[in-house]
DNA sequence: TTGTAGGCGTTATCAG
DNA sequence: CTGATAACGCCTACAA
């Protein structure tokens, strides 16, 4: 692979001159610039990026670290991210690491070249963040509340979303509310937390027997409800909760299905509320009431935040994406309450 | 950012010793190795990837160069690619470049670090391939028939697919067959080509008036058919073709819709055949007969081919992905022909 | 077992 | 306007 030295020899000038000519320095005569360009053409020379990056840091690319492509769910988000990159003249790449530990992931990140990064990766531990910070480049996290000098967070406003759901349930006459929680990421923790705080705030009773773990999976949620039917909790009209608030729509779908199979009618016998408002919400029968937010907006905001942090003396901050209640048939109106 | 020199100072050893200790050289005493490791921990040292890459080339990552994420269509392919990477211990990244010229794209590629790449990018011109070849790393193209020492192609067997479609149409009694072509990529050219050759081979008449350009878009295809109805070509029972073979399902959907709006019945008055077998095929009324191939398989094959080319004295080659006729209601049986 | 020294391909500084 | 030359951070003979 031709190096700058080869070019300099062929053009009959010094290495420094080649560098200057190529990097658009003004103090170069037209004649030599052309000689250099000609040599570059003939040799098919391209600067060695690694050597260059040792001196200057600019790559003109924004990185997205993301555990997988399983969720076709996220396609829209990546798309909006790329839109934001493109509008600002940046390339983008999505790096999927097989790292199974935080340190390995850090190694992956630190061995990639980018001007800024959006990171959404459960594996990354907070205590390793200082390692990333060594490289003076902006990072935006989508699952961590960790602002720093060059670090921001773009997060779903889970508390607001859960509150909207709980208030709606309360105002429509539901008091005994069950929670089907998820696991494994920031949102699962926050939604569980918000549920606990929200119930207290609304002075609604929290029944430990109504707190379920559905692992964010449809089948797990289904099984739990089916299982508890045998145990009697849902079969018994007295013991049954008025509503099940699910931490995502996927589980809600499983719950609706299970309740139906048990012989209960949603929403007459029991209401179900989801979270996310994705395709699963409409696959439910009846259609699922849920909490909506925009993944597209999240992606775009994240990239814009990276760009903002690149500016001279920007400071990291936390940015919460708004949520909205979506009313659909899976929640009944038990009695008219004030809104 | 702490460098190897900082580590060496802190550990009280030389730079070379640090390097040896970290890279698992055997000739290091346990005592010094521990000293070094301790210093590394304390400093949060990570080797500078660019400096390292100047000497050794290994990144343990496979790159995918891909113009955009618009097509949710391709999610499955990326997923299967990552599966293949992961099974073989590689990370993967998808690089989306805003490059609008072949040279800029080459620059993007050459300024990324990877052990091998899968490239699917219309913008990349064949004459620039030698530039890529300068870096002795395997490349697999999904839209170019250009085998080289370290270059392979993984391609849809468009000719076979088109032939399958044409033979089916012929055997079901269609002789006047129109073609709705696409544009802008390898597959559009190949499918058009295959259609011409196939029609000749089957001794079917090619009518220039039946050759349409739908730009791979539903709306464009729709308009063309609607438009030609006014002109009379489709309204006139005599002039009308027996079938329209579309170069993708997206256009086929537009064609079916247009024919319906004109007042023609598919497949009684005219048959429609697509290509791809994706979600659009089932959105047609009636469901679309089409040509199927597996994008998942393509992605997987492409990555495996990159991996194969990494082996000592592998040679590039062309790999054709198989196609299959999918029979559905959009094609009628005009008379019983031999099969 | 450890250290010294040279080089990888650039860019930046500073003479000429 | 052009050319030496010193970094950048790491690896790897080779020497001690």
């Amino acid at each position: 692979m031709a190096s700058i030295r080869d070019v300099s020899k062929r053009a009959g000038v010094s290495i420094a001159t080649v560098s200057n000519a190529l990097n658009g320095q003004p103090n170069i005569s037209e004649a030599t610039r052309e000689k250099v360009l000609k040599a570059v053409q003939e040799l098919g020379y391209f600067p060695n990026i690694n050597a260059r990056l040792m001196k200057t840091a600019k790559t003109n690319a924004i990185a997205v670290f993301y555990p997988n492509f399983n969720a076709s769910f996220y396609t829209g988000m990546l798309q909006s991210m790329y839109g934001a990159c493109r509008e600002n003249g940046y390339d983008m790449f999505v790096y999927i690491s097989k790292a199974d530990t935080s340190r390995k992931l850090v190694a992956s990140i630190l061995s990639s070249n980018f001007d800024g990064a959006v990171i959404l990766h459960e594996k990354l531990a907070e205590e390793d963040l200082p390692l990333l910070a060594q490289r003076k480049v902006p990072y935006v996290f989508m699952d961590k509340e960790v602002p720093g000098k060059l670090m921001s967070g773009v997060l779903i406003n889970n508390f607001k979303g859960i509150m909207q759901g709980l208030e709606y349930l309360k105002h429509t006459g539901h008091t005994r509310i069950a929670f089907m929680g998820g696991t494994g990421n920031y949102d699962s923790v926050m939604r569980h937390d918000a549920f606990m705080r929200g119930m207290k705030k609304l002075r609604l009773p929290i029944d430990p027997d109504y707190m379920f773990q559905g692992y964010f999976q449809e089948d797990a949620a289904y099984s739990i409800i089916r299982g508890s039917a045998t145990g009697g909790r849902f079969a018994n009209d007295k013991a049954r909760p008025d509503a099940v608030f699910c931490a995502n729509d996927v589980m809600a779908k499983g719950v609706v299905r299970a309740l139906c199979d048990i012989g209960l009618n949603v929403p007459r016998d029991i209401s179900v509320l989801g979270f996310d408002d994705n395709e699963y919400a409409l696959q439910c029968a009846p259609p699922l009431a849920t909490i909506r937010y925009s993944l597209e907006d999240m992606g775009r905001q994240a990239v814009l935040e990276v760009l903002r942090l690149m500016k001279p003396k920007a400071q990291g901050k936390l940015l919460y994406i708004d949520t909205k209640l979506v009313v659909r048939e899976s929640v009944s109106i038990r009695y008219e309450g004030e809104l």
Side-chain angles (χ1 to χ4, degrees), chain A:
Chain A
M1 196 146 172
S3 81
I4 196 172
R5 178 165 292 121
D6 301 322
V7 177
S8 80
K9 276 185 190 138
R10 180 151 200 142
V13 297
S14 80
I15 291 180
T17 302
V18 175
S19 178
N20 286 332
L22 260 34
N23 295 334
Q25 297 290 340
N27 48 350
I28 289 276
S29 74
E30 258 321 300
T32 42
R33 189 187 298 276
E34 290 201 352
K35 267 196 301 188
V36 171
L37 257 32
K38 185 153 160 287
V40 166
Q41 281 298 326
E42 291 168 354
L43 265 47
Y45 164 81
F46 268 86
N48 178 310
I49 188 65
N50 297 309
R52 169 178 283 177
L53 284 173
M54 269 179 63
K55 302 291 290 185
T56 74
K58 188 80 175 165
T59 63
N60 209 48
I62 287 177
V64 178
F65 289 86
Y66 182 67
N68 61 41
F69 278 124
N70 290 351
S72 63
F73 194 69
Y74 282 105
T75 314
M77 192 173 80
L78 293 175
Q79 219 172 301
S80 68
M81 284 179 168
Y82 180 56
C85 286
R86 186 185 185 83
E87 286 161 21
N88 290 279
Y90 280 85
D91 284 352
M92 173 176 124
F93 63 89
V94 184
Y95 196 104
I96 321 176
S97 172
K98 64 172 206 61
D100 50 356
T101 69
S102 183
R103 280 308 163 92
K104 283 188 195 162
L105 180 60
V106 168
S108 282
I109 297 175
L110 253 23
S111 50
S112 296
N113 287 118
F114 48 80
D115 295 346
V118 175
I119 302 183
L120 170 49
H121 216 305
E122 323 144 7
K123 284 284 184 293
L124 185 58
E126 291 203 15
E127 67 257 31
D128 285 340
L129 260 30
L131 294 175
L132 296 184
Q134 289 182 105
R135 197 194 291 185
K136 301 303 180 217
V137 147
Y139 297 94
V140 170
F141 300 94
M142 300 189 82
D143 58 356
K144 287 182 181 49
E145 288 175 321
V146 285
K149 205 176 151 6
L150 281 173
M151 295 186 170
S152 287
V154 171
L155 307 151
I156 298 167
N157 195 336
N158 289 301
F159 184 70
K160 178 172 177 185
I162 292 287
M163 278 309 290
Q164 288 170 320
L166 288 179
E167 277 168 2
Y168 176 59
L169 287 175
K170 182 178 182 187
H171 291 149
T172 48
H174 305 77
T175 53
R176 294 183 304 176
I177 304 176
F179 184 72
M180 178 67 72
T183 191
N185 66 22
Y186 169 82
D187 291 321
S188 66
V189 176
M190 296 314 284
R191 289 173 197 176
H192 175 95
D193 230 57
F195 180 83
M196 301 301 275
R197 287 197 289 147
M199 288 292 274
K200 269 197 196 106
K201 196 166 169 189
L202 297 180
R203 297 170 200 283
L204 291 173
I206 298 175
D207 184 339
D209 282 351
Y210 288 170
M211 301 298 293
F212 304 109
Q213 175 57 267
Y215 302 95
F216 277 148
Q217 288 162 17
E218 181 175 347
D219 290 346
Y222 178 91
S223 304
I224 287 175
I225 301 298
R226 282 296 305 234
S228 63
T230 347
R233 215 177 297 157
F234 277 77
N236 183 330
D237 283 4
K238 285 279 190 312
R240 190 196 307 147
D242 300 330
V244 184
F245 197 163
C246 302
N248 73 1
D249 289 351
V250 172
M251 291 190 298
K253 188 181 170 195
V255 168
V256 168
R257 209 153 42 82
L259 291 171
C260 173
D261 288 0
I262 288 172
L264 293 175
N265 178 291
V266 175
R268 207 189 52 222
D269 299 324
I270 184 167
S271 295
V272 178
L273 185 56
F275 204 113
D276 283 347
D277 193 29
N278 57 32
E279 62 206 72
Y280 288 87
L282 295 175
Q283 287 169 14
C284 292
L288 187 72
T290 187
I291 307 297
R292 170 189 295 171
Y293 55 89
S294 164
L295 280 174
E296 282 75 16
D297 190 36
M298 258 185 105
R300 162 164 276 276
Q301 294 298 331
V303 167
L304 294 180
E305 180 62 13
V306 167
L307 263 21
R308 191 185 68 82
L309 287 176
M310 285 177 180
K311 303 238 175 81
K313 46 189 184 175
Q315 276 288 333
K317 68 178 178 192
L318 293 180
L319 230 142
Y320 290 95
I321 298 297
D322 210 22
T323 59
K324 204 174 121 186
L325 174 72
V326 178
V327 175
R328 292 206 193 92
E329 290 84 75
S330 69
V331 173
S332 63
I333 296 179
R334 302 243 152 173
Y335 65 77
E336 296 294 327
E338 48 172 345
L339 264 173

